[in-house]
Amino acid sequence: MEELSILVVGSVALDTVETPFARAEETLGGAASYFTTAASLYSQVNLVAVVGSDFPREHLEFWRRRTVDLSGLQMCEGRTFRWIARYHIDMNARDTLDTQLGVYAGFHPVIPGEYRDSELLFLANIQPELQMEVLEQVHAPRLTVLDSMELWIMTARAQLTEVIKRVDILLMSEEEVRQYTERASLVAGVHHLLDLGLKHVVVKQGSYGALLFSADGTFFSAPTYPLEEVVDPTGAGDAFAGGFLGYLSTVTPGPDGQYSIEDIRRGVVHGNIIGSFVCEDFSIGRLRGLTMGHVAERYQILVDCSHFDPQWQFGKSR
Amino acid sequence: MEELSILVVGSVALDTVETPFARAEETLGGAASYFTTAASLYSQVNLVAVVGSDFPREHLEFWRRRTVDLSGLQMCEGRTFRWIARYHIDMNARDTLDTQLGVYAGFHPVIPGEYRDSELLFLANIQPELQMEVLEQVHAPRLTVLDSMELWIMTARAQLTEVIKRVDILLMSEEEVRQYTERASLVAGVHHLLDLGLKHVVVKQGSYGALLFSADGTFFSAPTYPLEEVVDPTGAGDAFAGGFLGYLSTVTPGPDGQYSIEDIRRGVVHGNIIGSFVCEDFSIGRLRGLTMGHVAERYQILVDCSHFDPQWQFGKSR
């Protein structure tokens, strides 16, 4: 079968992250970095982003070895985007201490000609107007996945809605679903989102995993891998997206060009697995040496730990 | 097979609960009330608690119709325990506004002779020293389940530890596991608890459901039923325990008198189901008319929504 390539547009950054237990300075970060590293475990990834002249060459060399195409990566005179954050004792919460946009401030995505037929597209968390610029440049991807954040819900709501209407799958945290839809009920909020034309909504729940709600009325509660130690949860959502689209890039869709709900569910499990690995180290540390053998092993654990008898009946008549 | 009866010791109260959307005054509450009503869907329940002379007779009549034995329910001159609370917008958090102990202040559990051979025991959330008094009075239950709360972790830690060492299964919220074990890692905290001699630890995660960790090294991530509308989450943990032990009361244990891990897992799913129903109304409102048909229907939904292909392989050779 044909090799499906994956296009990602988003931020590449240098992160300084402090947790209650450790600290990492100027490590590779940004949504597109996590996604690219994760998805390139599965297939070729075409990366569109911007970095400054100070961006360490070693990261580029690492990606090139992972079959990442960097011809869409803009290198501009100036400083790379920096993000500085501190996590709370409960690692599901964090504070952003500083954001230095650098060359990202003037970023407009330019999709190289050879990327425009990419079958799978991930619009990582950037301004909705830039996400729309991407959608204007690509041909007809088989599947488009969108991520966003609270900032755009508050400041660019109308543009975000326009983007949502043009994609297949939306990733959103539980709080973001409530903020965007202004509904207290998560389920009611998701129905509102599906009514905008989405095929699926993936609700991210931090260490609690993810819920998949589909336009056909089904939902999927994916098991989560309980980590012995969370070193740094940064990028877990982007790595989830990388595992999700990475897995789907290896699947032959049905005759109608669509992925089955079973394909999508397996993709969510892959997303949870890759997201769990990312949390085991700072930056993309844990993904560097990761193999499909590691992924398969964790997949089997999730199969085992989510199994329960589908037949239930009383042991006595009543 | 024999009928297994279930013994519960805990609080019966009159609750006034305010949510962002509604309010209920002086409704039936207390951990033992939720547990009793839930478990009596499955088998006979023997209730040990205390109520004041103001306790509405209608609740007693309701329980008698549900094959609840009330000979262990002490009725004392004075006021029934009152609890007044307000939920946050995120219904996973609440503030206790007032606690009026009333007759509960002088409560000591007295287990009637005919209750002492109960096979299944739930020690609902009361002072650890009272829980120990119960353990001193019963013979050898097949399975003992313990609940607790932050207050006892902070004020009666040593006594709580003694009780933990004498029971089979501990129910604890994620935060309580961290508080009691003083470990940031949930998994490390659970291992510490299992090392005290528990057979299983059930970690309650509010709307995210429950995780089961077992002394044999396995764990189970139970699917949760996503509610369209949460009216009042009060009592969900106690109703979980009622569904869990209620289900097990219908199961024939193995030749060694032990429940299999598959039995325990099905019990956790029943617990999640009953816990989800409780949230759909104030007090025990939703449990009143509940039938096993309703439970079976939700069980099938959870089977469907947690299923994913256990066989995963690439669609192409690589």
Side-chain angles (χ1 to χ4, degrees), chain A residues 268-316:
Chain A
V268 169
V269 175
H270 275 262
N272 270 356
I273 290 169
I274 305 294
S276 73
F277 278 119
V278 161
C279 297
E280 294 182 341
D281 198 352
F282 283 102
S283 181
I284 58 158
R286 189 65 179 87
L287 297 185
R288 285 182 188 275
L290 204 68
T291 66
M292 274 301 139
H294 298 126
V295 175
E297 192 182 336
R298 206 159 277 193
Y299 194 95
Q300 187 57 47
I301 292 172
L302 289 180
V303 168
D304 295 341
C305 86
S306 63
H307 175 78
F308 62 98
D309 191 346
Q311 299 298 327
W312 154 66
Q313 52 192 20
F314 279 112
K316 61 189 177 195

Side-chain angles (χ1 to χ4, degrees), chain B:
Chain B
M1 60 168 279
E2 61 181 330
E3 171 97 6
L4 293 191
S5 62
I6 306 170
L7 171 62
V8 55
V9 184
S11 61
V12 170
L14 295 174
D15 287 354
T16 296
V17 174
E18 196 177 304
T19 74
F21 312 103
R23 181 184 163 88
E25 298 220 25
E26 302 262 308
T27 57
L28 180 59
S33 299
Y34 283 101
F35 178 90
T36 296
T37 308
S40 64
L41 276 165
Y42 298 81
S43 287
Q44 190 196 303
V45 177
N46 301 324
L47 171 62
V48 172
V50 63
V51 295
S53 40
D54 59 349
F55 190 70
R57 294 298 174 276
E58 66 198 63
H59 302 321
L60 304 180
E61 286 153 23
F62 167 71
W63 277 331
R64 281 199 191 95
R65 288 195 303 273
R66 287 284 280 261
T67 61
V68 177
D69 188 309
L70 298 177
S71 53
L73 182 67
Q74 303 167 26
M75 303 211 52
C76 297
E77 193 58 40
R79 272 167 65 83
T80 300
F81 183 30
R82 255 107 175 148
W83 180 72
I84 298 149
R86 185 188 293 141
Y87 280 87
H88 299 192
I89 282 281
D90 170 357
M91 295 258 224
N92 279 318
R94 71 183 178 206
D95 298 316
T96 291
L97 304 181
D98 196 14
T99 302
Q100 301 163 10
L101 291 180
V103 296
Y104 181 77
F107 176 56
H108 284 273
V110 178
I111 314 298
E114 65 271 26
Y115 285 12
R116 297 187 180 204
D117 290 315
S118 299
E119 295 280 5
L120 302 167
L121 169 61
F122 181 54
L123 296 169
N125 169 29
I126 53 176
Q127 297 95 308
E129 60 186 88
L130 299 189
Q131 293 175 324
M132 190 58 91
E133 290 177 13
V134 175
L135 289 171
E136 298 294 341
Q137 295 176 67
V138 296
H139 301 142
R142 195 186 293 278
L143 199 68
T144 307
V145 177
L146 173 68
D147 192 23
S148 195
M149 70 189 292
E150 182 181 353
L151 179 61
W152 314 129
I153 294 172
M154 308 309 269
T155 64
R157 186 190 186 79
Q159 295 98 315
L160 176 59
T161 301
E162 289 313 302
V163 179
I164 289 174
K165 287 179 176 173
R166 291 185 54 175
V167 302
D168 301 306
I169 302 183
L170 175 64
L171 307 181
M172 253 193 185
S173 76
E174 193 170 348
E175 300 73 37
E176 288 161 0
V177 172
R178 292 208 172 86
Q179 280 164 354
Y180 177 78
T181 66
E182 295 176 341
R183 282 166 168 78
S185 158
L186 177 66
V187 175
V190 166
H191 287 161
H192 174 86
L193 289 167
L194 289 170
D195 286 344
L196 294 175
L198 292 161
K199 290 179 185 156
H200 309 276
V201 174
V202 175
V203 180
K204 298 183 286 182
Q205 301 184 306
S207 63
Y208 306 107
L211 295 173
L212 171 74
F213 293 86
S214 303
D216 68 0
T218 62
F219 89 97
F220 174 49
S221 169
T224 56
Y225 184 85
L227 290 169
E228 184 82 30
E229 187 187 14
V230 173
V231 173
D232 174 15
T234 306
D238 306 303
F240 173 96
F244 176 74
L245 278 182
Y247 172 71
L248 288 177
S249 75
T250 72
V251 169
T252 308
D256 57 354
Q258 301 291 307
Y259 293 101
S260 71
I261 195 78
E262 282 302 316
D263 293 335
I264 300 287
R265 286 182 172 201
R266 278 187 301 259
V268 170
V269 175
H270 275 263
N272 270 356
I273 290 168
I274 305 294
S276 73
F277 278 120
V278 160
C279 298
E280 294 181 342
D281 199 351
F282 283 102
S283 181
I284 59 156
R286 188 66 179 86
L287 297 184
R288 285 180 188 277
L290 204 67
T291 66
M292 275 301 139
H294 297 125
V295 175
E297 191 182 337
R298 205 159 277 193
Y299 193 95
Q300 187 58 47
I301 291 172
L302 289 180
V303 169
D304 295 342
C305 85
S306 63
H307 175 77
F308 63 99
D309 192 345
Q311 300 297 326
W312 154 64
Q313 51 193 19
F314 279 113
K316 63 188 175 195
S317 59
R318 41 176 32 236

Side-chain angles (χ1 to χ4, degrees), chain A residues 232-244:
Chain A
D232 174 14
T234 306
D238 306 304
F240 173 96
F244 177 74

Side-chain angles (χ1 to χ4, degrees), chain A residues 18-21 86-94 230, chain B residues 178 183-185:
Chain A
E18 196 178 304
T19 74
F21 312 102
R86 184 186 294 143
Y87 281 87
H88 300 193
I89 282 280
D90 170 358
M91 296 258 226
N92 278 319
R94 72 183 178 208
V230 173
Chain B
R178 292 208 172 86
R183 282 166 168 78
S185 158

